[in-house]
Each structure stands twice: as C-alpha cells, then as structure tokens.
C-alpha cells in the first residue's frame, strides 16, 4: 500500500467515525468498561504484591532453604533445616566479617488472653518469635528488659500490659502464665531464643545483619559463598518471598477474585464488540457497495473496518484506563471489606496496567471485528442499489463455529460435574461461555422458528401486528439475533452465577450436617486453631493434627504433602502410615514399603506404608500417629475436635461447642460471604455489558426499519401503533434471548448441582436465584424496549 493510499484510508476511517458515531457508541462504551475493569484489577493486583514484612525490614538479606514441589509438580513449601544443619550454616555465616549477625528466624502461634477471651489478632498464628529476631526490624524496648527464662515474655506496648505483670498467653500446647519483662515498639510476643527453638524447631529462614562497613550486597555475596549453593539468598524487595501464611491465603483469594473479574470483562467485551460491529456492518451494506462501485477493493474495505474498530478501541481504552485508575481504590476497599486482601494494601498507580489493558482492548476489538470485515469485503458493487438490510442466510462458517461451540460447551458441562471443588465454578463459567457463544452464533437459525411458534396462536385473533412481527423477525433474523445475543449473555451468566451460589449455599451446609449428624464439634472461637489443651479436654472423638511434611517422589523430587496425625486406634500406629490411592500412585509407593518422611523440625523418620486405601477426604491422604507427628511439629495447631453422639464435649477458653447444623452453617459462612460478593460483582459486569449491547442493537435495528415505518405510515398506521409495534418486536426479541439464556445456563448449573451432590452426599438439584433472574430479564427487556421505542419515536418525529 502506498503512503497516499494509506492516508486516504485513514481519512475515510475518520469520516466514517464522525458521521456514524452513534453506531459505534456501544462498542466504545464496551471497550471503555472492559478496559476500566481490567485496569482496576491489574492495578489492585500489582499493589497487592507481597511486601517485606516490617519485622524483617532491617535484615540485609534472607537465607532460605531449598523449595519442595507439590504432588502435581508446582512449587511448594521450603524444606526446613534441622537444628544441626542450621547451626552449621549459622557458624559459617557468622565467621564472615561482612556479616554482623545471623539470626534463625522462627514464627509460631502465640495470643494473649484477657478475661478468659483471646485478644483479637489476625497474625496470631505466627506472632511468637525468638528475642534475637527483634533486632531485624529493628524493634526497641520501650521499658523493661529482654526475656531470659522460659516463663518470661516481651509484648507489644500497644497491648497495654505493664512490665512486671502476669499475662496469659495461649500457645499450641494451651494457655500458660508468663511474666512480662518488657514492652516493645512493635507487634508480637518475644520469648528467649531457647524457648522459641523448643516451640518451633526446624529453621525456615536465617536473617542477616550487615556489618557497619559492608552493605547488603557484600553481606549477600558472603552468604552465597558460605552456603555454597545449599540455600537461596534474597535481598531488597525479594525478601518479600517470606510471608505469613494468612497473608498468602488472602492474596490467593484476591487473585481469584481479580482474575474472575478480568476474565469476564475480557469475554464480554469481545462478545459485545463483535455483536455490535457485526450489526453495524450489516446495516451499511449499501454504503459498502457504493465504495466498491467507485473502485475500493476488498482489502481496502477490510482495512477500513479494522481501522474503525482499532480507532474506537483506542478511544475507549484511553478513557477506560483513566476510569480504571480512579476505580482501583474502590475495588481495593471492596476486597478489604470482604477480608480477601492483605490489610496493608495500598494502591500504587503506574502506567503498566492501563497500557496493558489498552493493548488487550485494541487486540480484542480488532479480533472481534475480523469476522464482520471479512463478510463486508465480499460486498458487491450492485449492493449500492439495494436496501441496507441484513437478510442474508446464515453462512456455513458461522453455523460450523456455532455447532463447534455447542459441542465444546456440552463437553465442558460434563467435565463440570466430575471436576474438583476448586475448579468447579471455573469449569461451569467456561461451559456457559461456550454455550452462550453457540447460542449467539446460531441465533439467526433459532429466531425465525421461535417467532413463528410464539406468534401462531395470536394470528387466530386476527390483529395485524403479530403477522408483521412474524414477517420482520423471519426476514431479518440476523438483525434480531444481534439484539438477542447480548440478552443471552446477560441472562445466561446471571442464571449460572446466581444459581451456583444458591446451589452451593444449599449443598455444603446440608452435606456437612449430614456427615456430622449427631456429633458435637469443638471448634476454635477467636483463635486461628485448636490447641492441645482443647484436645486433651475431649479425649473421645476425632482430633486431627494437620502438618506439612516432605517425602521423595518416584521422580526423585522432594515433595511437600499434607500429613494428618490421627488418634483413631486404627490409624494411630507409630512408625506406620496409611495413604490414599491417588497420592500413593503419584508418589510411587506401595503397601509394605519403607519410606522416609522429613518433618518441620528437619528430622527424617523412616515410616512403613501399612496400607494404601481408596481415597477418603474424611480420613486424609497421608495419615500417621498423632503422637509421632506432634513430637516432630510442636508448633502446628489442631483441627476441630469431632465428639461422637453420647460423649460429652468440653469447651475450654478460645473454643466453642456447636451441633452439626450450627457448625456446618458457620463453617460455610465465610465462603458464602466471598462467593456472594464475587457472584454479585460478576453478575453486575455481565448484565451491564449485555444490557448495553442489547439497547444499542435495539436502537440500530429500529433505525434500520425507518423505511418500513414509512411504508406502514403511508398505509394508514398511526404513530401510536408504530411505537407499539416497535416495542412489541423488541420485547419479543429480548424475551427470546432471555429464554435462550436460561436454556444455555441450565446444563452447566445442573452439572454443578450433580458435582456438589456427589461431593457432599446431599441430594439436590439446581437452585435458581429468582431475584437475580428477574432483575436480569426485566432490566434487559426495559432497556431494549426503551432504546427501540425512543429511536422509533425520533425517526417518526423527523418524518
């Protein structure tokens, strides 16, 4: 292409945008909203990146042990050093003059009690530390002295406990009385180093302080030389790799929420832009034929339409990026209110998220316009003499893609019923997205027969308007499909997401209560877990002790596994382990085999695989003797205690006793709050996009009928009759779209219910959330009818 031709093409694109801007408005708004959502999600995700813990801010470098992998091969926990291994490393590190101090960093559960109740502390699970680590912040004593005995502790000045007083502190073993020897200008509970080592044996990190004449770089280099490849040395921002577990969980939740919002925004943006541009291009058939008549080739037509899509996307992305940056603090506050983000989350604005979102918006819009540009490039010069009606039959490519999407959606719906709980919602959304795509592509084939079936009973009453509706929807099925497709998406996602939340709300508590029928449960109340004191107070019943341990897989990789310490007489056999079949196959072990297990204290213990049994989540995949597990991991908190029917249940301070139903409801309450918020956010995104595109399609369709309206007016139709006809046609089209939306969502929702029934043991079918369904349907109908009626009224007024 010559520069002159390129310039002429650019001028043509600008002219089209100026004269037909109303036709591009919906695409512009869709790109704007999508870019804003993606920008906000990326900005919050970037701002939520791990930061260096305040208590390690003064450390020049961190020395961390090698990382294990999960059974599926993904990176997992660090493999803790034993006390002997750590002692050798500490000696080697302290010998280098560039390192002023090397401190074994330990963290374990510690929480103050007042008046028999635990003091609220989000970080209590890792609030206990050895006194030497206080220099890493560095924290300073406000009053008093350092702890020197096993029954002494230094606490935060903010706790309000004076030095010299006695304080009850809850530890993994239970409550104990300590003398407060001093207060610190930072959070936590600080014990003497020997006591800390006994409570949390095994070293997961060594922190370094640089010598006065050596910076962090020299100290890190000295550490790398001293460890000789046996450890990973981190400096600067990389020290954020060491994070408390509760913050890692919050970041995981935030990532899931933000990824779901961004993915749905991406899908709906592509869907709306494709539907809008396809309709807009179909209604320009006469103009495109005129361009062909004056010499424009297919390539120039295609480039013009792609240029229009790119220009609209650039404008929408620029506005959406600014809007997304402004909306990011609101999204962050929402995550904090849901307790699904780290409490220190602060928004940091930079150019990366809006630029990336803009690139995605332009790419998605251009790709969405490709199909319509391909069709438009085949316009013939003779089309300049024809009315711009999109009454062409559905092409083979569109039909083939629709059938392929239908098969993919059906396969995804079947997979939804058999997948794991963690992947079930994502699989259901994937299935529904595929079925929505199939319904949108096949809508021109379905609209005509559906319209004939719905209007057939009305024809016997002999009014004129059913016959007119029937003829228009049958002759212009593609135009009607462009209006129905966004409604299909809006209602389909609303049905799926609202129904999934309702089905989960019914399934999980019912299934859990069914499993625990007749039992009493001693659960934590204001603490992050159950202590050994609570377990000892309830000697009868299941009291699992979950820990992380490390084994060697069949491929030689050190693998982190969840080990459950059990006091069940059938499983509480020191020196032996019972494995689930799936985990045993992944690890490559068999019954009777001797197997080495490395625990949190760094000790490696030989264990005989007593049995390999069918998988049972209630039993656990790797079960050992509770006493043996506790001996090697004195810091781990217990699971809830399940007391069988007829046995007494005793609550100690920091615990509560619930029956099966109350426990099941409370257990699901946190998940329900998160899923409700996520579903509401996603439903708002999907229905907002769908309603926007449906209104635009209805307005464009009403504008395309202006010659039909003129003919009907000539034949004697009044303005009121024409407005009523436009409202009825748009309502019927939107109603058909809503019906198809419900139909495409039901298979995935039924698959979700089937999977939940199998997982929980509770018999249930799919549950619809009727308020959400009604809001999506009525909102789409109202916007569609309003847009069509207003456009028709303006057309009639001009005439």
């Amino acid at each position: 292409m010559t520069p002159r031709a390129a310039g002429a093409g650019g001028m043509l694109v600008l002219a089209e945008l100026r004269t037909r801007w109303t036709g591009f408005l919906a695409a512009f708004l869709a790109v704007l909203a999508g870019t804003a959502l993606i920008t906000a999600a990326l900005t919050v995700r970037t701002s939520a990146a791990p930061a260096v813990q305040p208590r390690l801010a003064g450390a020049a470098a961190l020395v961390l042990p090698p990382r294990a992998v999960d059974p599926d091969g993904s990176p997992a926990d660090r493999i803790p050093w034993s006390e002997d291994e750590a002692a050798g490393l500490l000696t080697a590190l302290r010998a280098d003059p560039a390192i002023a101090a090397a401190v074994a960093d330990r963290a374990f559960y510690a929480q103050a009690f007042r008046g028999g109740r635990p003091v609220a502390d989000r970080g209590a699970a890792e609030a206990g530390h050895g006194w030497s680590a206080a220099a890493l912040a560095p924290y300073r004593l406000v009053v008093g002295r350092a702890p020197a005995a096993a029954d002494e502790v230094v606490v935060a000045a903010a706790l309000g406990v004076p030095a010299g007083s006695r304080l009850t502190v809850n530890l993994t073993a239970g409550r104990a009385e300590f003398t407060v020897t001093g207060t610190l200008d930072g959070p936590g509970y600080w014990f003497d180093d020997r006591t800390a080592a006994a409570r949390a044996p095994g070293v997961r990190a060594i922190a370094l302080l640089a010598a006065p004449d050596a910076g962090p770089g020299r100290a890190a280099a000295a550490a790398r030389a001293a460890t000789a490849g046996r450890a990973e040395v981190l400096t600067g921002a990389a020290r954020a790799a060491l994070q408390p577990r509760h913050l890692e969980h919050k970041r995981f939740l935030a990532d899931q929420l933000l990824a779901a919002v961004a993915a749905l925004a991406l899908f709906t943006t592509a869907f709306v832009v494709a539907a809008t541009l396809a309709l807009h291009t179909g209604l320009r058939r006469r103009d495109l034929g005129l361009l062909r008549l004056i010499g424009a080739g297919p390539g120039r037509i295609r480039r013009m339409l792609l240029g229009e899509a790119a220009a609209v996307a650039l404008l929408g992305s620029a506005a959406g990026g600014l809007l997304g940056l402004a909306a990011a603090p609101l999204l962050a506050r929402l995550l904090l209110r849901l307790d699904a983000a780290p409490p220190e989350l602060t928004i940091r604005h930079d150019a990366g998220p809006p630029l990336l979102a803009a690139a995605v918006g332009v790419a998605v819009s251009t790709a969405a316009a490709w199909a319509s540009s391909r069709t438009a490039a085949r316009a013939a010069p003779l089309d300049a003499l024809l009315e711009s009606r999109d009454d062409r039959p559905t092409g083979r490519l569109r039909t083939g893609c629709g059938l392929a999407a239908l098969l993919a959606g059906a396969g995804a719906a079947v997979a939804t019923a058999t997948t794991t709980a963690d992947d079930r919602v994502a699989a259901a959304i994937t299935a529904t997205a595929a079925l929505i795509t199939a319904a949108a592509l096949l809508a021109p084939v379905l609209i005509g027969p559906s319209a004939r079936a719905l209007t057939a009973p009305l024809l016997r009453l002999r009014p004129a308007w059913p016959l007119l509706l029937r003829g228009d929807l049958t002759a212009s099925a593609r135009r009607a499909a462009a209006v129905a497709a966004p409604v299909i998406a809006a209602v389909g996602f609303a049905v799926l997401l609202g129904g999934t939340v309702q089905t989960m709300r019914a399934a999980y508590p019912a299934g859990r209560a069914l499993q625990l029928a007749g039992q009493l449960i001693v659960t934590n109340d204001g603490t992050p877990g159950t202590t050994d004191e609570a377990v000892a107070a309830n000697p009868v019943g299941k009291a699992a002790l979950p820990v992380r341990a490390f084994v060697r897989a069949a491929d030689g990789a050190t693998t982190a596994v969840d080990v459950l310490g059990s006091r069940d007489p059938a499983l509480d056999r020191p020196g032996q382990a019972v494995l689930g079949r799936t985990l045993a196959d992944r690890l490559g072990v068999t019954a009777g085999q001797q197997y080495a297990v490395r625990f949190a204290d760094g000790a490696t213990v030989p264990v005989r695989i007593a049995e390999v049994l069918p998988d049972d989540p209630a039993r656990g995949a790797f079960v050992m003797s509770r006493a043996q597990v506790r001996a090697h991991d004195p810091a781990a908190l217990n699971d809830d205690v399940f007391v069988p029917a007829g046995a007494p249940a005793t609550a100690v301070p920091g615990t509560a006793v619930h029956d099966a139903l109350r426990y099941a409801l409370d257990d699901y309450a946190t998940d329900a709050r998160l899923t409700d918020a996520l579903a509401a956010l996603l439903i708002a995104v999907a229905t907002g996009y769908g309603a926007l595109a449906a209104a635009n399609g209805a307005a464009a369709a009403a504008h395309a009928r202006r010659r039909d309206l003129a003919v009907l007016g000539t034949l004697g139709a009044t303005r009121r009759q024409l407005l009523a006809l436009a409202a009825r046609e748009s309502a019927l089209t939107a109603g058909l779209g809503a019906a198809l939306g419900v139909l495409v969502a039901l298979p995935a929702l039924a698959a979700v219910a089937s999977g939940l029934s199998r997982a929980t043991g509770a018999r249930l079918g799919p549950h619809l959330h009727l308020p959400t369904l009604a809001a999506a349907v009525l909102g789409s109908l109202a916007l569609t009818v309003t847009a069509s009626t207003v456009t028709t009224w303006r057309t009639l007024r001009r005439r």
Side-chain angles (χ1 to χ4, degrees), residues 393-432:
T394 304
R396 286 178 294 178
L397 177 62
R398 179 168 182 163
T399 303
C401 291
L403 293 175
L406 181 62
L407 292 175
V414 173
T416 300
T418 58
T419 192
T420 61
D422 292 338
D423 300 327
R424 188 172 293 124
V425 174
I429 292 177
T430 302
T432 304

Side-chain angles (χ1 to χ4, degrees), residues 353-421:
L355 289 177
L356 179 58
V360 171
V362 173
V364 167
S365 300
T366 307
W370 175 83
S372 58
S373 69
R374 181 176 173 273
T375 302
R378 296 199 298 266
L382 187 61
D383 288 340
L385 305 177
L386 303 177
E387 178 66 22
S388 291
R389 296 176 63 94
D390 200 3
D391 54 2
R392 294 168 288 111
T394 304
R396 286 178 294 178
L397 177 62
R398 179 168 182 163
T399 303
C401 291
L403 293 175
L406 181 62
L407 292 175
V414 173
T416 300
T418 58
T419 192
T420 61

Side-chain angles (χ1 to χ4, degrees), residues 351-675:
L355 289 177
L356 179 58
V360 171
V362 173
V364 167
S365 300
T366 307
W370 175 83
S372 58
S373 69
R374 181 176 173 273
T375 302
R378 296 199 298 266
L382 187 61
D383 288 340
L385 305 177
L386 303 177
E387 178 66 22
S388 291
R389 296 176 63 94
D390 200 3
D391 54 2
R392 294 168 288 111
T394 304
R396 286 178 294 178
L397 177 62
R398 179 168 182 163
T399 303
C401 291
L403 293 175
L406 181 62
L407 292 175
V414 173
T416 300
T418 58
T419 192
T420 61
D422 292 338
D423 300 327
R424 188 172 293 124
V425 174
I429 292 177
T430 302
T432 304
L435 292 173
I436 286 173
T437 303
L441 292 172
L442 299 176
V445 180
L446 302 173
I447 289 289
S450 301
R452 286 194 294 271
L454 289 174
T455 56
L458 299 176
L459 294 179
R460 300 176 184 176
L461 303 177
R462 300 189 182 279
W465 64 265
L467 184 61
L468 292 173
L469 287 184
R470 183 175 188 161
D472 196 38
L473 293 179
T474 303
S476 303
R478 292 172 67 96
R479 189 175 66 194
V483 179
V487 181
I488 295 172
V491 175
F493 277 121
V495 169
L496 173 73
L497 296 170
T500 297
V501 170
Q502 287 298 103
T503 306
M504 292 169 62
R505 187 186 298 276
Y508 282 121
R512 193 65 169 146
L514 187 64
Q515 295 171 359
L516 302 175
Q519 299 185 46
L520 294 175
I521 299 92
V522 181
T523 184
N524 55 298
D525 181 18
T527 63
T530 307
T531 65
D532 288 351
E533 179 185 6
V535 172
N538 296 275
V540 178
K542 177 183 177 182
L545 174 59
V547 301
R548 293 285 274 177
F550 306 87
V551 297
R552 187 79 63 181
D555 60 359
T558 301
T559 303
V561 295
D562 292 310
V563 173
L564 213 61
S566 174
R567 67 181 183 184
D568 185 337
L571 301 171
D572 189 5
R573 294 174 284 186
Q576 299 184 19
V578 174
L579 270 65
R581 190 171 305 280
T582 299
L583 181 60
D585 292 343
R586 285 184 176 180
L587 298 179
V589 298
T590 57
Q593 179 180 341
Q594 287 290 124
Y595 201 48
V597 180
R598 184 183 180 106
F599 287 99
D601 62 352
T604 301
V605 178
V607 174
R608 187 176 73 86
I609 308 300
E611 295 178 272
V612 175
L613 300 176
D615 293 341
D616 181 4
R619 183 195 64 240
F622 199 123
V623 187
M624 294 181 60
S625 164
R626 174 187 168 82
Q628 186 173 21
V629 171
R630 175 55 81 200
H632 291 285
D633 196 342
L637 289 165
N638 301 278
D639 201 351
D640 299 326
V641 182
F642 299 88
V643 181
T650 303
V652 301
T655 64
V657 177
H658 293 158
D659 60 21
L661 181 58
R662 168 71 185 280
Y663 176 78
L665 292 173
D666 287 353
D667 190 43
Y668 184 65
T670 300
D671 292 337
R673 186 163 53 88
L674 291 173
T675 53

Side-chain angles (χ1 to χ4, degrees), residues 244-323:
R245 288 186 178 89
H246 74 284
L247 291 184
E248 291 180 352
H249 180 65
K250 290 181 186 297
R251 288 194 176 87
F252 171 78
L253 292 176
D255 287 348
Q256 299 300 305
L257 291 167
L258 296 173
V261 170
L264 190 58
L266 186 63
F267 172 79
T268 47
T269 299
F271 190 90
V272 170
V273 170
T276 302
L277 294 181
L279 176 62
H280 188 58
T281 303
L283 296 177
R284 296 164 62 189
R285 179 179 171 184
R286 190 174 185 178
D287 297 339
L288 295 175
L290 182 60
L291 289 174
R292 291 299 314 279
L293 188 63
I294 62 176
R300 176 168 291 186
I301 297 293
R302 186 184 301 110
R303 288 192 296 273
M304 181 190 75
L305 295 177
L306 292 176
E308 290 172 355
V312 170
L314 282 172
L315 294 173
S317 297
L322 296 176
L323 181 61

Side-chain angles (χ1 to χ4, degrees), residues 114-314:
R114 282 180 170 174
R117 292 287 302 164
V119 176
D121 184 358
R122 293 177 182 270
E126 297 184 22
H129 309 284
W131 174 250
S132 295
L136 302 174
Y139 292 140
R140 295 183 299 274
L141 276 171
V142 177
V143 295
R145 60 173 178 81
D151 64 345
E152 295 180 346
V153 66
V154 170
V155 300
L159 194 60
V161 180
S165 61
R166 299 285 288 177
L167 178 67
T168 300
V169 179
N170 203 31
L171 303 168
T172 301
R175 292 167 297 152
E177 292 291 323
F178 290 86
T179 299
V180 177
T181 62
T183 59
L184 208 63
D185 61 353
Y189 301 84
W190 305 84
F191 304 85
D192 71 282
D193 290 338
R194 183 176 299 178
T195 300
R199 299 193 183 283
V203 177
R204 300 178 183 272
I206 295 175
L208 306 179
L209 295 176
D213 58 344
R218 279 186 57 192
R224 293 186 181 97
T227 55
R230 293 174 292 169
E232 183 179 2
V233 180
L234 304 178
T235 59
R239 295 171 298 163
L242 191 64
Q243 288 290 310
R245 288 186 178 89
H246 74 284
L247 291 184
E248 291 180 352
H249 180 65
K250 290 181 186 297
R251 288 194 176 87
F252 171 78
L253 292 176
D255 287 348
Q256 299 300 305
L257 291 167
L258 296 173
V261 170
L264 190 58
L266 186 63
F267 172 79
T268 47
T269 299
F271 190 90
V272 170
V273 170
T276 302
L277 294 181
L279 176 62
H280 188 58
T281 303
L283 296 177
R284 296 164 62 189
R285 179 179 171 184
R286 190 174 185 178
D287 297 339
L288 295 175
L290 182 60
L291 289 174
R292 291 299 314 279
L293 188 63
I294 62 176
R300 176 168 291 186
I301 297 293
R302 186 184 301 110
R303 288 192 296 273
M304 181 190 75
L305 295 177
L306 292 176
E308 290 172 355
V312 170
L314 282 172

